[in-house]
Amino acid sequence: MAIYLDKNENAFDIPENIKYEFMEYIKKTNLNRYPEKGLPSLLEKIGDFSGFNGDNIIAGNGSDELLNIIIHQAKGNILVNTPTFEMYQFYANNYGYDTINVPLKSDFSLDTENITNKNNVKLIIICSPNNPTGNLIDRDQIEEILDLHIPTIIDNAYYEFSGEDYTDLLNEYDNLIILRTFSKAFSMAGLRIGYGIANRNVALNIKKLQAPFYINVLSAKLAEIMMEHYSTVQEHVKYIINERKRFYSAIKDIAFDSRANFLLLKKDLYRYMENRDIHIRKLPLLNDRSRVTVGKKEENDVAIDAIKEYISENL
Ligand SMILES: *Cc1c(COP(=O)(O)O)cnc(C)c1O
């Protein structure tokens, strides 16, 4: 049977009891009506959940949409650190903006010196834990970048798997936007909800660029329901972290350790795995590597066996 470990999705679907709760809501909701303007209830609830006010929260159709809006608004050079999430360059290119690439160092840390030397940067995007390398970016390095007072995004899509919270930096830096998502830890990739946390003026300026009914009522409601069931989310996250540790120790020779729900492999095993009906991610920016998502135990066992076989035949 095919195994999909290619998109960093959550291995767990939303449990049936929560789906029933959601269905009850759908039954009694008038879908002929528009959502409430500005989605105040969703923003308040995300605020409560993350320890901020609704004023500090922006939401979008996936954090991808927020990236799109913020990059568009930057109107100029976007600084990225490859290898990283490809969508940053995708959106910048769409708007005809240049990306300034300051590659990560060989240990996947930020090259802060070279970042600091660049002129005319309108927006810096730091991904932590970084996709596809899996490592956290050091707080001191992040603060060094924030001290440049250039608008900066920390893309924190894998926050829940990492245990590293950067929100305290918002007290000190009003040039910071932290982006998170319901797609990974919350098992909601199909529903498309992401959010950002920022200084209220920064959040307000982004809200001004959004249409009044920017998220549909069903996605918004399910996000609210999932926050009420956070203990279930935490159970799934804990399971995946344990599996990640097991997966990594089984294939250490060929993988980098990770603080997310995936592992970067030191070889391009895309074709090799594909031939075994195990789908992993080919990396356009790193042609000698590949990325595998941590799934359920049974899926990981099959992937681990295949990778071990590769190691014994090739390394
Ligand atoms: C998955 C991912 C996202 C986001 O996703 P949405 O589904 O659009 O919320 C954002 N950034 C990174 C680095 C990701 O890996």
Side-chain angles (χ1 to χ4, degrees):
M1 213 175 70
I3 293 178
Y4 291 92
L5 301 175
D6 56 336
K7 295 198 191 76
N8 295 347
E9 292 152 338
N10 200 305
F12 296 91
D13 191 5
I14 290 170
E16 210 162 282
N17 64 314
I18 301 180
K19 283 189 176 175
Y20 275 112
E21 190 179 331
F22 183 43
M23 281 158 65
E24 287 306 312
Y25 170 80
I26 298 174
K27 274 200 248 170
K28 61 181 208 293
T29 300
N30 297 321
L31 298 176
N32 57 322
R33 302 295 179 189
Y34 281 106
E36 202 179 347
K37 189 164 172 265
L39 285 301
S41 156
L42 177 66
L43 298 188
E44 280 306 317
K45 288 194 169 118
I46 295 174
D48 286 346
F49 180 75
S50 48
F52 289 83
N53 292 321
D55 285 354
N56 299 107
I57 306 297
I58 48 172
N61 265 283
S63 53
D64 267 344
E65 190 194 41
L66 296 172
L67 282 166
N68 187 4
I69 295 171
I70 298 164
I71 289 171
H72 188 197
Q73 186 196 31
K75 297 192 176 67
N77 298 334
I78 314 290
L79 190 144
V80 300
N81 312 274
T82 60
T84 193
F85 194 45
E86 296 102 17
M87 294 306 287
Y88 313 143
Q89 268 163 306
F90 170 85
Y91 290 124
N93 292 342
N94 272 356
Y95 296 117
Y97 305 159
D98 286 330
T99 45
I100 298 176
N101 181 21
V102 180
L104 294 173
K105 293 185 170 177
S106 57
D107 63 354
F108 303 142
S109 64
L110 286 183
D111 185 350
T112 48
E113 200 178 328
N114 271 311
I115 295 174
T116 310
N117 288 338
K118 300 293 179 214
N119 296 316
N120 250 327
V121 176
K122 294 289 188 267
L123 176 69
I124 298 173
I125 308 180
I126 297 170
C127 188
S128 183
N130 185 42
N131 178 6
T133 56
N135 62 302
L136 277 170
I137 303 297
D138 189 72
R139 288 174 81 80
D140 292 341
Q141 289 204 310
I142 290 178
E143 290 198 54
E144 237 181 284
I145 301 305
L146 289 169
D147 281 330
L148 300 172
H149 298 292
I150 296 169
T152 300
I153 292 174
I154 298 179
D155 185 345
N156 203 197
Y158 300 95
Y159 159 64
E160 295 86 351
F161 301 102
S162 75
E164 178 78 2
D165 188 344
Y166 297 110
T167 52
D168 59 297
L169 295 172
L170 289 163
N171 299 325
E172 212 179 319
Y173 296 101
D174 59 10
N175 54 324
L176 171 62
I177 303 171
I178 295 175
L179 292 185
R180 290 182 181 165
T181 180
F182 285 90
S183 295
K184 308 283 163 55
F186 285 82
S187 301
M188 278 181 54
L191 278 287
R192 316 299 306 123
I193 299 246
Y195 65 99
I197 315 173
N199 173 280
R200 63 196 298 275
N201 288 323
V202 175
L204 188 66
N205 284 330
I206 296 168
K207 285 174 194 172
K208 282 181 188 159
L209 302 169
Q210 295 185 292
F213 313 120
Y214 55 92
I215 287 175
N216 74 75
V217 285
L218 300 186
S219 294
K221 184 62 185 187
L222 189 57
E224 292 182 13
I225 293 175
M226 289 309 289
M227 286 185 278
E228 286 162 18
H229 288 279
Y230 192 56
S231 60
T232 301
V233 172
Q234 283 174 308
E235 273 168 39
H236 294 167
V237 166
K238 200 167 147 204
Y239 175 105
I240 292 164
I241 292 172
N242 286 334
E243 279 298 295
R244 177 188 75 206
K245 290 179 179 163
R246 186 177 75 89
F247 204 142
Y248 173 69
S249 22
I251 60 156
K252 261 194 176 79
D253 295 339
I254 202 179
F256 294 96
D257 204 358
S258 164
R259 297 291 290 269
N261 67 342
F262 57 83
L263 296 169
L264 179 67
L265 303 179
K266 296 178 179 174
K267 298 277 181 213
D268 180 3
L269 297 195
Y270 174 77
R271 192 41 61 199
Y272 172 87
M273 298 291 268
E274 199 68 10
N275 290 339
R276 284 158 181 74
D277 221 1
I278 306 166
H279 304 273
I280 65 168
R281 182 75 151 77
K282 201 169 168 56
L283 298 168
L285 304 176
L286 278 179
N287 43 34
D288 54 344
R289 306 221 150 120
S290 50
R291 189 195 70 197
V292 59
T293 305
V294 177
K296 290 215 177 121
K297 182 176 187 305
E298 314 79 77
E299 299 168 319
N300 300 334
D301 282 340
V302 176
I304 289 169
D305 284 348
I307 295 170
K308 276 183 157 169
E309 197 181 315
Y310 177 91
I311 294 174
S312 69
E313 284 166 9
N314 296 277
L315 294 191

